[in-house]
Amino acid sequence: MHAPGNGLVFSIYYSVLAAFGVPANLVTVMILSRGRCGLSGCITRYLISMAVTDLLVIITAVILSRLCAIYFPFSFLSSTPGCSLVSVLSYASTDSSVWLTVAFAFDRFIAICCPELKMRYCTEKTAAVVVGMVGVLCCFKNIPFYFMYDAIYIINNVPWYCNIKESYYVSLPWRVFDWLDCILTPCLPFILILLLNALTVRHILVASRARRSLRVHSNGKKQSDPEMESRKKSIVLLFLISGSFLLLWLTYVVNFLFVQITDNNYSTGSNSNDPKFILQESGYMLQLFSSCTNTCIYAGSQTKFRKELKDAVKILLQYNS
């Protein structure tokens, strides 16, 4: 990531983020893995994979990248190979988290809007294949980031710290890669999620009006629709996850567009009064916060998940008492 801030605000924020994000995502994986939340196996598979990648984002981008730089500035991770490797892992896990959100939105779009494809596509096997492909492609796509940095110091022939190469800002291949990187994450996912959600909402509105009209004509009065009610949980879950992603990544996208349109480099200092630095770091902070929100979304929108979470807390309290 580009020159993370290392002041008191950042140390407190990232410490709290790690302290909440790691156990929250671990608990989410444990609860969903038990299969008692009333969700289909396909949905469960996507949600577990999203929780795992969110956990990896917290470990790599928050703990190994930011907190280690703040609290352990002279560890192996501060060497140029170390921080370059952490950068690749951070980008790969972030991309995986983003594209799994897109994959989940597409799966729900197929399930709701394309019933003829639902039985073939919305399966656990397909979900497993999609999750695997996303992980592999995101890892390969981010390998060039390992070669993006130069050492700041060389002490006893050991390169220390990572500084973005000047060629990254002026070299055509690096400029193309930078554009492709931000187009693939998160600009294209932004567009795809907005489009998929818009099409899903449109289909739901048309289908619900048609079904209401049909049921009124056939029964002479309005009645509850069990099929529409059964869809409600997955629809609410989809919109909450998608909406959270769009809101928390918006500042990051705005910063990217600002950098590209104004031809300004990413801020490399830590001047808290610099508007560019504030916009850049706010984008990163909100983006990383998105790796902690899904647990709250599940707890707030899914009754059975909430019940499983309460039971887990009770068991933990009884064990410690």
Side-chain angles (χ1 to χ4, degrees):
M1 304 298 177
H2 298 287
N6 57 4
L8 179 61
V9 172
F10 299 108
S11 63
I12 294 175
Y13 177 81
Y14 290 126
S15 297
V16 172
L17 199 62
F20 175 76
V22 170
N25 284 301
L26 283 174
V27 168
T28 299
V29 172
M30 292 171 58
I31 291 176
L32 291 174
S33 298
R34 300 178 69 182
R36 300 179 181 178
C37 297
L39 300 170
S40 69
C42 178
I43 294 177
T44 301
R45 180 85 60 151
Y46 279 114
L47 297 187
I48 290 175
S49 64
M50 290 162 66
V52 170
T53 52
D54 285 343
L55 175 62
L56 292 176
V57 171
I58 295 296
I59 293 173
T60 57
V62 177
I63 297 177
L64 296 183
S65 179
R66 283 159 171 78
L67 290 181
C68 282
I70 293 172
Y71 294 110
F72 306 102
F74 303 108
S75 68
F76 164 75
L77 296 176
S78 297
S79 67
T80 304
C83 60
S84 297
L85 179 60
V86 169
S87 178
V88 173
L89 297 175
S90 299
Y91 279 108
S93 56
T94 300
D95 285 1
S96 297
S97 177
V98 170
W99 279 100
L100 285 174
T101 304
V102 177
F104 175 66
F106 183 73
D107 178 86
R108 291 302 85 201
F109 167 76
I110 294 294
I112 294 169
C113 303
C114 307
E116 67 279 3
L117 295 177
K118 178 180 178 181
M119 297 301 295
R120 287 180 292 171
Y121 184 82
C122 301
T123 64
E124 286 191 64
K125 182 178 179 180
T126 301
V129 172
V130 171
V131 170
M133 289 179 60
V134 167
V136 171
L137 291 175
C138 287
C139 288
F140 277 107
K141 174 253 180 187
N142 288 288
I143 289 176
F145 280 112
Y146 185 85
F147 307 98
M148 186 178 74
Y149 301 100
D150 277 332
I152 297 179
Y153 305 109
I154 296 180
I155 303 175
N156 296 327
N157 294 323
V158 178
W160 287 95
Y161 305 112
C162 288
N163 187 47
I164 299 174
K165 296 178 179 179
E166 287 297 326
S167 60
Y168 183 82
Y169 303 110
V170 297
S171 170
L172 180 59
W174 276 119
R175 294 286 289 177
V176 171
F177 176 78
D178 187 44
W179 266 97
L180 288 176
D181 175 57
C182 278
I183 287 173
L184 292 174
T185 306
C187 295
L188 183 57
F190 246 68
I191 296 171
L192 290 176
I193 288 176
L194 285 172
L195 178 62
L196 290 170
N197 283 358
L199 292 174
T200 302
V201 169
R202 179 179 176 276
H203 178 85
I204 291 171
L205 293 176
V206 172
S208 61
R209 281 198 297 265
R211 290 179 67 86
R212 271 199 308 267
S213 177
L214 181 62
R215 293 176 69 85
V216 168
H217 283 99
S218 61
N219 298 301
K221 60 179 180 179
K222 290 185 178 180
Q223 294 183 355
S224 61
D225 189 338
E227 182 175 338
M228 293 303 295
E229 289 295 326
S230 67
R231 290 183 177 181
K232 185 177 180 181
K233 289 184 179 180
S234 62
I235 293 170
V236 169
L237 194 60
L238 167 64
F239 290 163
L240 287 175
I241 292 174
S242 300
S244 171
F245 168 80
L246 294 172
L247 287 174
L248 293 175
W249 276 81
L250 181 60
T251 305
Y252 181 93
V253 174
V254 169
N255 180 60
F256 165 73
L257 294 176
F258 169 78
V259 169
Q260 301 302 328
I261 293 173
T262 62
D263 202 26
N264 279 296
N265 292 340
Y266 291 99
S267 176
T268 56
S270 57
N271 181 5
S272 59
N273 296 320
D274 183 358
K276 290 195 300 180
F277 178 78
I278 294 173
L279 178 63
Q280 173 181 298
E281 286 303 315
S282 297
Y284 290 137
M285 292 167 78
L286 291 173
Q287 168 217 316
L288 293 172
F289 180 67
S290 68
S291 299
C292 300
T293 57
N294 284 348
T295 301
C296 299
I297 289 173
Y298 304 153
S301 62
Q302 303 295 309
T303 304
K304 292 184 178 180
F305 181 92
R306 191 161 54 246
K307 180 179 180 302
E308 290 289 315
L309 181 60
K310 290 179 180 178
D311 291 342
V313 172
K314 289 179 182 177
I315 293 173
L316 182 62
L317 292 176
Q318 290 174 357
Y319 179 78
N320 292 327
S321 61

